[in-house]
Amino acid sequence: MFNSTVKVNNFIYLATLILSLSGITAAVILYASFKVIVAFSLLPILIIFYLNAPDFAKIVFLMLMITFPITLQALGKDAFSTGTLLIFATLIWSMAKYKLSKTIADDKLIFKFLALIVCIGFVGMITKTPSAYWGPAIRHYVNLISSIAVFILIVHSQNIAGITRSNNEYIEKIINTLLLITILHVFLSLLILNYPSIEKYLTIFLNRGQEQLGGHLRDGIYERATSVFTRGEEFGELLILLYPFSLYKIFISRKKIYWVVVSSFILGILLSGTRSAFLLIIFQSLAFFYILVPAKYNNRKIIITVSFILVCIMMLPVFFKYAPILMDRVQASLDQIVQKDDILTITNRSVVWPLAWDLTKNTISFFGHGPIQAHGLGYPVKNFHNLYLSLIFQFGIIGLIVIFSFFFTLFKRLLLIVKWKREKDKNYLLAITCLLSFSCFLINEFKFEFNRSDSYQQFVWIIFAIYYLTGRLNKYFLNEESNYN
């Protein structure tokens, strides 16, 4: 009798579930947009994948999906991306595998900074957002939370049992994943540039305000290449952030695949047409090999330098074909320098920076306006093209102090690694790589702000997680030394 009742209950439950899913599926197919249909269709695939894939594969898949976002709409407006949803889903999975409270307790300072950033953004949003702009304000706030969430996810997941054999291996795997994803987008941009018709098959990744993905040759003028989650300046900055890690990989590994990585980054710089990225990557190359890497590696430096020259020679046909995308912009800047134009004109900021400065000065407050850009609140400035002015407007004086304290803490811990590792081993090299990447990012942010959109902002916060995890290696080494003694 009992078994019969259980079978009946199971049948009712299963029938109800099937009918509900059938009804939802029918409604989605009949009334939803194509993007929603695709996203909904992916749901069972994702569930199966997450149930069966190895733990680290789930994180790799998440990072890949962040860079191939399908932006879903609500009430005719962009609401959030599939990457954002996947971040929260994967974070919940990681919390089920290991208690988040333990990760927080292990480094309360950093998590206090993150909590304050979230709270200050919320206070600014609810106190300064007119009723007509609540939709965009909430979307940008979700972008902020999801970006911090992916940082927490990457940091927290290293504690999951069996995900990797050591903290060092975990960091190296994250770096490898980011490098490979970036190469994928470089070649995707190259493909779109040469075969524009391919772009029509990628329109699912467009957000509501986008008309095209990649750069094209129109009327004899090259446009700067982009990818499905970045545009020209973002693309260039992404290469600035990760190029030092490609150099690091060449230095510590004898695998020839990393020369392909470096070559791809050089190609990406040409395609992006970003002058600051071009200059900063030249600086990164010189600084890494001839200033930061210690003298004990001189023989290795010579071999890599010769190899680098050979790679550049082999890439000459590529340089000749795609160099105009970048060099036309460089030549324009040189002409302006010869004409003795001011720095605002040379950097194409002669209009936006004065407007951004005046707006920031006139609206400055303790808690800012929330994570939304000024134009999203009706102010007559599209983007500030300066992270630091943007942070003052968005998070106010107090928020700026908190965010800079977060950056300073990451930077300080990396410096301590460099100071502590007297033997100048692999972890020393990883720390100086992070410092070089972080420094050039902060320099480039004088002319750009990374927190405009969701996907790129999330990707950058993953790189912040690498800085954090590398800075924490000092703690692990000290503990190991203490246990050994």
Side-chain angles (χ1 to χ4, degrees):
M1 181 68 178
F2 177 76
N3 290 336
S4 299
T5 303
V6 171
K7 288 180 180 179
V8 170
N9 289 339
N10 287 341
F11 175 78
I12 293 172
Y13 171 76
L14 185 60
T16 303
L17 182 62
I18 292 173
L19 288 172
S20 300
L21 289 176
S22 299
I24 294 172
T25 302
V28 167
I29 293 173
L30 288 173
Y31 301 108
S33 67
F34 177 66
K35 289 184 178 183
V36 173
I37 293 173
V38 172
F40 187 80
S41 302
L42 288 174
L43 184 61
I45 299 173
L46 291 176
I47 292 173
I48 294 171
F49 176 82
Y50 268 76
L51 289 174
N52 296 283
D55 289 343
F56 191 79
K58 296 179 174 69
I59 297 174
V60 172
F61 183 75
L62 165 66
M63 291 192 285
L64 184 64
M65 288 298 99
I66 286 174
T67 68
F68 286 92
I70 301 173
T71 304
L72 305 178
Q73 295 183 358
L75 302 176
K77 304 289 185 179
D78 289 342
F80 44 78
S81 70
T82 49
T84 297
L85 292 176
L86 200 55
I87 286 171
F88 291 121
T90 309
L91 179 60
I92 292 170
W93 161 80
S94 70
M95 291 165 61
K97 302 286 286 187
Y98 186 84
K99 289 185 178 180
L100 182 60
S101 57
K102 293 183 178 180
T103 301
I104 295 173
D106 198 37
D107 194 350
K108 293 180 181 178
L109 177 62
I110 285 294
F111 284 92
K112 284 179 181 177
F113 287 145
L114 298 179
L116 284 171
I117 293 170
V118 170
C119 291
I120 291 169
F122 181 75
V123 171
M125 179 180 68
I126 64 172
T127 58
K128 294 293 179 66
T129 303
S131 58
Y133 299 101
W134 268 105
I138 291 173
R139 286 195 294 274
H140 280 82
Y141 187 67
V142 171
N143 292 346
L144 171 69
I145 294 176
S146 63
S147 300
I148 293 176
V150 78
F151 173 91
I152 294 172
L153 167 66
I154 299 299
V155 169
H156 177 64
S157 295
Q158 71 167 340
N159 297 315
I160 296 174
I163 196 163
T164 54
R165 290 172 295 184
S166 67
N167 296 301
N168 290 75
E169 183 185 22
Y170 180 78
I171 296 171
E172 297 290 340
K173 281 189 172 184
I174 296 292
I175 292 171
N176 283 338
T177 302
L178 294 178
L179 291 175
L180 292 175
I181 289 174
T182 304
I183 291 174
L184 174 62
H185 284 279
V186 169
F187 282 96
L188 179 60
S189 293
L190 180 65
L191 197 63
I192 296 169
L193 182 66
N194 286 282
Y195 305 99
S197 60
I198 292 174
E199 190 178 40
K200 65 184 179 183
Y201 300 108
L202 302 171
T203 54
I204 192 171
F205 300 114
L206 292 172
N207 60 44
R208 195 169 55 91
Q210 279 184 290
E211 296 180 356
Q212 64 182 55
L213 292 171
H216 303 275
L217 184 62
R218 291 181 178 173
D219 300 325
I221 299 174
Y222 277 109
E223 294 183 1
R224 300 160 69 183
T226 64
S227 188
V228 297
F229 82 113
T230 62
R231 306 196 184 201
E233 286 187 288
E234 293 168 324
F235 198 28
E237 185 174 82
L238 176 60
L239 298 172
I240 291 171
L241 279 160
L242 290 174
Y243 179 71
F245 292 99
S246 69
L247 299 179
Y248 161 78
K249 285 292 184 177
I250 281 180
F251 210 88
I252 67 164
S253 174
R254 299 188 183 277
K255 294 181 179 178
K256 293 181 176 59
I257 185 64
Y258 292 114
W259 283 106
V260 176
V261 174
V262 169
S263 302
S264 301
F265 273 71
I266 295 172
L267 173 61
I269 288 297
L270 296 178
L271 299 178
S272 74
T274 308
R275 293 165 296 178
S276 61
F278 172 64
L279 294 174
L280 286 172
I281 279 184
I282 291 175
F283 167 75
Q284 288 174 336
S285 300
L286 296 174
F288 186 85
F289 288 115
Y290 304 110
I291 298 175
L292 299 176
V293 174
K296 64 179 284 187
Y297 296 105
N298 280 345
N299 291 337
R300 183 81 173 134
K301 288 182 190 178
I302 294 171
I303 295 172
I304 291 175
T305 300
V306 172
S307 301
F308 193 87
I309 293 172
L310 292 175
V311 167
C312 289
I313 292 172
M314 293 171 64
M315 290 185 68
L316 281 177
V318 176
F319 290 153
F320 290 140
K321 183 173 182 178
Y322 298 108
I325 300 175
L326 172 65
M327 290 306 163
D328 286 351
R329 293 172 56 81
V330 172
Q331 184 60 52
S333 297
L334 293 175
D335 292 341
Q336 290 172 328
I337 292 172
V338 171
Q339 296 168 10
K340 298 183 179 179
D341 289 338
D342 59 69
I343 187 65
L344 297 185
T345 302
I346 295 171
T347 56
N348 295 333
R349 302 295 186 265
S350 57
V351 175
V352 68
W353 276 355
L355 289 174
W357 170 254
D358 289 339
L359 179 59
T360 303
K361 183 176 60 176
N362 295 331
T363 61
I364 194 167
S365 62
F366 284 110
F367 296 104
H369 297 75
I372 191 171
Q373 270 88 19
H375 69 88
L377 295 176
Y379 291 104
V381 182
K382 175 63 175 175
N383 290 305
F384 283 10
H385 290 273
N386 182 287
L387 175 66
Y388 309 107
L389 292 179
S390 296
L391 291 179
I392 295 173
F393 177 84
Q394 293 171 330
F395 296 94
I397 297 171
I398 295 177
L400 181 70
I401 293 171
V402 172
I403 292 170
F404 265 82
S405 298
F406 171 74
F407 285 163
F408 174 77
T409 302
L410 296 183
F411 209 90
K412 179 182 176 182
R413 290 179 178 181
L414 291 169
L415 285 174
L416 289 175
I417 288 280
V418 172
K419 180 180 179 181
W420 188 80
K421 298 298 293 181
R422 295 184 179 89
E423 65 272 24
K424 308 293 189 292
D425 63 1
K426 177 180 174 181
N427 293 293
Y428 171 90
L429 296 176
L430 179 57
I432 63 172
T433 300
C434 290
L435 286 170
L436 185 58
S437 169
F438 200 5
S439 300
C440 290
F441 165 76
L442 295 175
I443 292 170
N444 195 68
E445 288 294 291
F446 276 100
K447 59 174 285 294
F448 184 70
E449 59 271 69
F450 78 96
N451 59 352
R452 294 179 186 177
S453 61
D454 51 358
S455 299
Y456 180 65
Q457 183 178 180
Q458 292 159 359
F459 203 74
V460 172
W461 274 87
I462 295 175
I463 300 173
F464 289 167
I466 294 176
Y467 302 155
Y468 171 85
L469 292 170
T470 302
R472 292 283 289 174
L473 289 175
N474 190 47
K475 169 183 178 292
Y476 299 125
F477 291 141
L478 288 173
N479 286 345
E480 288 174 7
E481 184 182 66
S482 176
N483 293 334
Y484 177 77
N485 291 335

